[in-house]
Structure formats: structure tokens, C-alpha cells
Amino acid sequence: MRSMKKLLCIALALCMVLGLAVSVSAEETGYTITVNSDDAHSYEVYQIFTGDLHEGVLSNVKWGANGTGETGTEVDKAVLDALEALEGKTDKEKLAVIEGYVNLESEAFGTVGAETPINVSAGYYLLKDIGEAAPGEGLSLYIVEVVDDVTVTPKRSEVTVEKKVKDINDSTETTFGDWQDTADHDIEDEVPFKVTGTVAEDYDAYDEYFYAFHDVQCEGLTFKPETLKVYVDGAEITEGYAIVQGAEDGCTFEIVFADLKKIEAVKAGSVITCEYISVLNEDAVLGSTGNPNEVHIEFSNNPNGEGTNKTEKDIVIVFTFMVDVDKLDNKNEELPGAGFTLYKLDAETNEYVAVGEEVYGEAMTNFQWKGVDDGMYKLEETTTPAGYNTVDPIFFQVTADHDIVIADDAPLNSLEGGELFTGDVSTGAVSTDVVNIPGSELPETGGIGTYIFYAVGGLMVVGAIVFLVVRKRMGSRQ
């Protein structure tokens, strides 16, 4: 009897840790195992022992349908003593022994779910989680219970992931702002990214623990692996992980921890952070589509054996824009022959710096600077069409409003370029017309007398020619 009481205490202690809520049935001869109504998982039920249950005490213990002994025969005292010795052990240590007395390869005694309770006789049962885990969710550690009426409410661990990016207006700021969900940058800018993942609360139930960040970048972003830094609970680590590029799953790169258990700093609930830089390149998409960068975590999710699950993906978007200028004359017609240079104000030097070289083409009337972000700009006509006055420098500011929390459809809410420019969110263009005025036809003094001088001059030339001809003829006669 003493052994049975100890066995009951061990089992009940394990059940409390795993969240089993027990209620006493009015029935004396049969019992029901049910699953909490908000639990979408099902469980295979394995009967280890049967017996007589009275006031919480299991007596006359015999091997059950899934026990390792012959069904219906008495359980040896040595087995019960081995179970008694588990008092004070961890759940994982207890299960390492209990699993030795249940044949998990045999056909399960039954299956139980929220809508499918199961009737059983009094005994000692193991429940195996066979549900389909939701994204980020783990399976439950085996649940063991001395059964009267019982409701299964396991505590499952969850892994989460979050991605962030930094932004800067380099015309007004010299350092990056806080981590956020969206940013805008110039092409060739180095863009900081951060991914953060949590470690499951039931981490201690695992012997090995696989953990990997899967990062997918668009063609407009180029990952710089040499910039990667990894932290566990805020402290940098340099070992225990690998960078994998060109994986067959379509990821741009992966940060793989083959076994987190080999990193001493990691514990249940730890936060793992990875920071790195990618460059916004010439393939960057302009406007509201932006340049997405997404991540998800793959992690061990079965404390009873092999298996992994994935979190939901988290996305950040990097936007970039363009300045678009049409060249017109004072009659609102296209005017070729101009060249423009775009300058951007640098907050560190407080000087305007050229955004590339002059844009010029002999027949060009449309001028574009692709891959710019918010900031203060100056547009100069550095080549003026012949016969026209040079346009004064145009100063303008590009501002962009994008959501701090990404919306489902259009996270780029507005784009402006000052009073002279119009912004188009979809194309990412801030546009304007630049009009040249013809040079002045300046007045000349003398009025019609000028033409008289032209006429008299012409007559004088003709007269001179006639005089020379006549003189030659006269000379020939002499």
C-alpha cells in the first residue's frame, strides 16, 4: 500500500507541472479522460497499469494493455520501487524511467481530443501529443497520470520571432533612429537589420535543440555576412552557429544552431538576437512595393523525439524613391539640350553633395535619379539649352510617411517633394517640370538707318567692282 501511495504522489506531481486539472467523478467503476475545449490537439492514450482506485490510492496494480509486462498480470515490486525512487526528479528524468514500462510501438489504447473524450478504467496512463502544432508551437511532453476523471490541459511552449530595420534622414541626422518595421534608404546605403527569437520555456525537456533563423531577402538587398553579430540574452557569442547561404529552401541565408544545448549561456526563455547589414542595390524596387526582408525560425518542437516546427514569418520593408524632372520651354513643349545635377544635403558637413554625375543627353527631355530617400535636395541646371536662360537652383525636400507597424496593403502612405513637386506613392516618384525662358532679343540703336548702312555698303561694293572692271578695259585699249 505504501508503494502505491508513493507512485500516486509521483504521478500527481508530474501532472501538476504539466497542467493536468483533475476532478472527481460521481462514478465508482469507470472514468473519463477529456481534453480542454480550447486545445486543438489530440492525444494517443497508452494504458501502462490497471488497478483499483479508492480515495486516490491505486491498489492491486496489474500490467495494462500497453505495458511492457503481460497484460493482466501483477506488476513486480521492483518496478514499483523504481518508480518510487523518482520522487524529487525532473519531469524529463521521471519520463526516462516511466517510458521503460510502456510500449509506445504498440497500438494505442485509444485517442482523446476536445470533442472526443475517452472512457477508461482506473489505472496509470501515458498521453502522447499527436496534434498538428500551430506556427511557433511545440508539442507537449508526455503526460502521465493515475486516472480517475481527468481533464488534460497541457502547457505548451511557444517560439516567437521579430525582425526590425533602422532608418536615417542623412540630411538632418547623423545617427540611425530606433529599430522599426519600415525604413527608406538611398541605393548603395548600408541598411542595419535585427532579428530576435525566443527559446521555448520547455527547453529543459529536450536532450538536443535545433534552432535556425531562415532569412529571405529580395533582389534589391545584398547580405554582408561579415557584419553578422549574434547575442544570447544581450551578451555576444562567436561560436555555436553557422551561416548557410544558397540553401535549397529558397532562403537567402540561414543562421543555424545545430544544437543550442552546446551553448552554455542558453536557457529556457532565452532571447537570441542577430544583427547584420545588407546593402540596398541597383535592383531595388521603387515605390510602395518596396524591398521586403522576411525571417522565420525553425526549431525543435518535440521533447519526446525528433521533429521541428516553424514560426510565422515576420517582414520589414525598405523603401526607395526617385526624382523625376521634365524639361519644357515657355510654350510648354519639350526642350532638349539641357543637363542637370542633383545634390543632397549632408548633415555631417552641412554641404550639398552631388548624387552621381550630371544627367545629360543631347535629345533628352526627361531626367531621373532613381534610388533616393527622404532628405534635403538641390537641383541645378548645369547645361543650359542654347538660346535659353539658365534656371536658378531649385531647393526641395523629399518626405515619406510609412507605417511603423506594417499594414496589409500599402505601408507607404505618402510621398512628397515640396511645393514644386508631386509625389506618387505607387511609383515612388517625386516629379516636377522645369521651364526655360528664351534669352532676350535686345534692342539696337539707329532704327532703319542700320538697313541703310547695309544697302549703301552693298552699293559701294558693287561700285568698286564696276570701277575695277572699267579701269582694266581702259588700260587694255591704251
Side-chain angles (χ1 to χ4, degrees), residues 128-144:
K128 177 183 178 181
D129 188 347
I130 58 171
E132 182 176 349
E137 185 183 66
L139 298 176
S140 173
L141 192 65
Y142 291 145
I143 302 169
V144 182

Side-chain angles (χ1 to χ4, degrees), residues 149-169:
D149 284 343
V150 63
T151 298
V152 181
T153 54
K155 295 180 180 179
R156 289 191 189 85
S157 289
E158 185 179 11
V159 172
T160 61
V161 66
E162 182 180 65
K163 184 154 203 158
K164 296 293 182 181
V165 63
K166 280 194 172 184
D167 197 4
I168 185 172
N169 183 326

Side-chain angles (χ1 to χ4, degrees), residues 171-209:
S171 289
T172 60
E173 302 165 346
T174 56
T175 58
F176 285 99
D178 294 333
W179 294 107
Q180 54 193 55
D181 290 322
T182 59
D184 54 76
H185 283 275
D186 298 308
I187 285 178
E188 298 185 359
D189 273 0
E190 292 190 335
V191 184
F193 291 95
K194 179 176 74 169
V195 292
T196 303
T198 58
V199 176
E201 291 293 341
D202 64 350
Y203 176 72
D204 293 337
Y206 291 80
D207 296 323
E208 296 181 356
Y209 199 86

